[in-house]
Amino acid sequence: MKARILALALAALLAYPSIASTEVVRVVIERREDVLGGHSFGAFGAYEIIVGQVYFVFDPTNPSNARIVDLDKAPRNADGMVEAQANFMVLRPKDASNGRGTALLEVSNRGGKASLSYFNFAARNPNPVSEEDFGDGLLMRLGLTVIWVGWQWDVPLREGLLRLHVPVATDGENPLEGLVRADWTVDRAATSLALGHRNHVAYQASDAADPRNVLTVREGRTAPRMTVPRDQWEFARQEEGRVVPDPTSIYMEAGFQAGKIYELVYVAQDPRVVGLGLAAVRDMMSHAKYDSTSVFSVERGIAIGISQTGRFLRHFVYQGFNTDESGRKVFDGLMIHTAGAGRGSFNHRFAQPSRDAHRYSAFFYPTDIFPFSGRAQTDPESGKTDGLFAHPASPDHLPNIFFTNTGYEYWGRAASLLHTSVDGTTDLELYPNERIYHLASGQHFVGAFPPPSRSRLPASDAYRGNPLNFLYTMRSLLSRMVQWLEDGTEPPLSTYPHIDAGTLVPIDRVDFPSIIGVELPRKVHQAYRVDYGPRWDLGIIDIQPPTLGNPFPVLVPQVNEFGNDLGGVPTVESLAPLATYAPWNLRIGYAGGTDELSDFVGTYVPLPRDSTVRDDTGDPRPSIGSMYNDKTEYLIAAQQAAELLVTQGFLLEEDVAAVVERAGQHWDWVMRE
């Protein structure tokens, strides 16, 4: 009861106007409590969790806001400012004077919170409260202040997600309208399809009878589109046996066929000012760094973005958002994870931030578009010269950046364009502020181990899903980023495949071993030159679907005799191998596109246990028995591999025992009778 009274009192006292900042005008604290009852996290002591609402205002005349599409068309308050509101959560040392002075702001992927699971090996919980939710406490033992804030307007309507409430842009007193696109790879037959991506809030169709509303169907990624007659579908959904009108869903009585790709272009109105998400992340960090009244004040800021929000941070840098409205540098470091060479739908009219564009889903959204590399290049076809780092307000405002990509991003996210020339012929020289780390052979996220029996692929010893655990590498890299910013200690050199070393090659030159039941993909995700219409430079799409030009050459890592990636950051799994970890997987067993890449996932194939199995199956890979006499010998190899990774800066000393224990569990599973 006392704790509840104290929390309510604090909420009342800490609903304060900001004095030093004109961007964050108010922070309302709704809950403030000790983490795990005041548990001490090493040298940095106890932590507290702070939950509340943050209120922003944005000056439409400020040069730092000039890139926000439709900000000039948003409603303004009495002071001429545009307002927005987000929920937030902060973990910080309870004794602020005992903190490290460095914040890790996670740009939340679709409203979630992943940092505790990524860096603390914690359970995923949007409202962490238990020991399981905080894991081994690495983030707290590093003394970091961890910040989450809503930036995305359209996240699913679920409790616990982070959300930014943004205004609607208008044309004076009249609504703005435009073309919006939704698409679906239909793997199971259905009668209703929601317009929002992955259950996100959708733009409503403004007029169901508008002739510009067009539904098409096709057989493959770039196959011809066939128009579905308008009298065969409607804006509705099926609910409890009834057909209910719904401007955010389409219904077809005959059903949407499995194996087909459907695409709807429709007219919507009332676009949100989506680009305010970029500014909200900017201003939240600026508030923490520069506002002396902030209750989570820090000296330095690191942003972490994973997948969607890794692309968000690439977009953030490209559009010059690392300078705040007062002309100050915002983030000192960025950890851009599994973003490939992409950006995304984060700042244009009728933007849908969740749309990502994979090889066989969410096609041709403005994700994998030029420029790709930090260094400026000239596209020989368009003649345009541009680069990811080409538009900072000041060269001093470029942060130190880690780009970390798994093997999947090379196959499914065009990651090679991050560090090759746009014609795919030469390696680029990197800038001093950037490091690129290829998490060799990993899939987009760490797969389950042991692999579920249901994931076993037909007629093979292979499994859909790749359990290579690159999170140990990420833990070490985070500590290296903190050191780089705090005292200038250089992190490990960039480690990624190169053209000139023969470790980055066209897909038809990959020397993958011939394993029964496992087929090397013949297709890789491609980034196209895309025409979205004459106003695209202003952030307005007029051509839906867009017109595709020629693709940019995409290369992938070469592999070794085990089929594991070359040229990347090693792991115990690759240095003391027991399996092939392929970062790709084909859509075998699906209704359509069976020769295409599965989204996000890789393939796991244990090595043959001994020479007899190897000979019986014709497996060209070395057998486990030819490399290790027994488990003891294998564990010695795993221990040596882990110690090597520590010296290279890719593994924390404290994680060696856990990594070797995991290796032993892997041995037991692979060698089971």
Side-chain angles (χ1 to χ4, degrees), residues 223-565:
R225 294 172 171 86
M226 306 296 292
T227 299
V228 179
R230 188 62 184 85
D231 60 0
Q232 293 184 12
W233 63 275
E234 58 186 303
F235 285 100
R237 69 181 189 279
Q238 191 169 24
E239 182 178 279
E240 298 179 353
R242 298 181 299 115
V243 178
V244 180
D246 185 347
T248 64
S249 182
I250 56 173
Y251 167 81
M252 187 156 58
E253 183 177 7
F256 301 96
Q257 298 179 48
K260 308 290 187 183
I261 298 171
Y262 291 86
E263 182 177 71
L264 175 70
V265 175
Y266 65 99
V267 179
Q269 65 181 34
D270 296 337
R272 274 51 170 195
V273 185
V274 177
L276 287 177
L278 296 158
V281 168
R282 175 196 70 191
D283 292 350
M284 189 67 165
M285 189 70 252
S286 181
H287 170 73
K289 284 181 66 174
Y290 300 116
D291 189 338
S292 61
T293 68
S294 174
V295 291
F296 40 90
S297 180
V298 294
E299 300 170 25
R300 292 165 298 275
I302 301 168
I304 172 77
I306 300 170
S307 189
Q308 175 211 31
T309 53
R311 294 185 290 104
F312 175 100
L313 288 176
R314 285 175 54 83
H315 208 99
F316 184 93
V317 171
Y318 175 64
Q319 293 201 320
F321 278 93
N322 207 43
T323 299
D324 70 11
E325 288 191 9
S326 297
R328 301 167 299 198
K329 183 178 181 178
V330 181
F331 289 105
D332 304 279
L334 304 180
M335 296 186 69
I336 297 177
H337 181 61
T338 58
R343 289 184 280 119
S345 299
F346 307 122
N347 189 20
H348 63 82
R349 187 174 292 176
F350 290 109
Q352 302 174 77
S354 181
R355 301 283 182 182
D356 41 16
H358 287 270
R359 175 68 198 183
Y360 212 67
S361 68
F363 304 92
F364 317 126
Y365 293 92
T367 298
D368 303 304
I369 56 177
F370 180 83
F372 308 102
S373 59
R375 188 170 294 278
Q377 299 189 67
T378 301
D379 176 8
E381 292 199 16
S382 69
K384 184 177 181 180
T385 299
D386 207 351
L388 201 70
F389 302 159
H391 308 286
S394 166
D396 295 337
H397 289 184
L398 282 176
N400 292 351
I401 303 177
F402 288 172
F403 295 101
T404 53
N405 288 294
T406 70
Y408 173 82
E409 282 74 54
Y410 282 85
W411 287 83
R413 183 88 284 144
S416 65
L417 292 169
L418 177 62
H419 52 79
T420 67
S421 57
V422 291
D423 62 4
T425 62
T426 57
D427 300 300
L428 295 180
E429 180 183 358
L430 302 185
Y431 284 108
N433 71 302
E434 60 178 328
R435 295 288 192 276
I436 298 176
Y437 301 114
H438 166 221
L439 306 175
S441 288
Q443 70 175 29
H444 193 68
F445 54 89
V446 177
F449 185 83
S453 58
R454 66 180 181 277
S455 68
R456 188 164 178 168
L457 298 175
S460 75
D461 290 325
Y463 294 82
R464 175 175 282 129
N466 177 338
L468 186 140
N469 195 336
F470 55 77
L471 295 184
Y472 290 104
T473 307
M474 294 297 295
R475 283 160 61 95
S476 183
L477 289 178
L478 173 60
S479 70
R480 298 292 176 163
M481 172 62 82
V482 172
Q483 292 174 342
W484 197 14
L485 299 182
E486 289 186 351
D487 60 25
T489 301
E490 290 283 329
L493 296 176
S494 293
T495 308
Y496 59 92
H498 286 70
I499 296 171
D500 62 8
T503 52
L504 190 68
V505 298
I507 184 175
D508 60 3
R509 286 181 49 200
V510 176
D511 296 325
F512 191 77
S514 178
I515 304 172
I516 292 176
V518 180
E519 181 181 352
L520 182 74
R522 291 171 291 172
K523 301 173 182 178
V524 66
H525 179 69
Q526 292 176 296
Y528 288 87
R529 296 167 175 88
V530 187
D531 183 4
Y532 294 103
R535 296 188 292 170
W536 173 238
D537 286 344
L538 301 176
I540 301 171
I541 295 179
D542 293 306
I543 298 178
Q544 290 279 30
T547 302
L548 300 184
N550 292 323
F552 293 90
V554 174
L555 307 176
V556 296
Q558 185 57 281
V559 298
N560 60 19
E561 61 183 331
F562 300 100
N564 293 326
D565 287 356

Side-chain angles (χ1 to χ4, degrees), residues 549-630:
N550 292 323
F552 293 90
V554 174
L555 307 176
V556 296
Q558 185 57 281
V559 298
N560 60 19
E561 61 183 331
F562 300 100
N564 293 326
D565 287 356
L566 292 170
V569 176
T571 59
V572 168
E573 289 97 330
S574 63
L575 294 174
L578 293 173
T580 296
Y581 297 89
W584 42 260
N585 187 271
L586 294 175
R587 288 171 46 87
I588 296 170
Y590 285 83
T594 54
D595 60 344
E596 294 281 4
L597 296 175
S598 299
D599 287 355
F600 303 120
V601 300
T603 305
Y604 168 75
V605 196
L607 297 176
R609 289 187 292 179
D610 51 42
S611 58
T612 300
V613 175
R614 181 178 186 269
D615 294 342
D616 288 347
T617 59
D619 196 323
R621 300 172 299 162
S623 69
I624 294 173
S626 69
M627 295 183 289
Y628 322 105
N629 288 322
D630 52 27

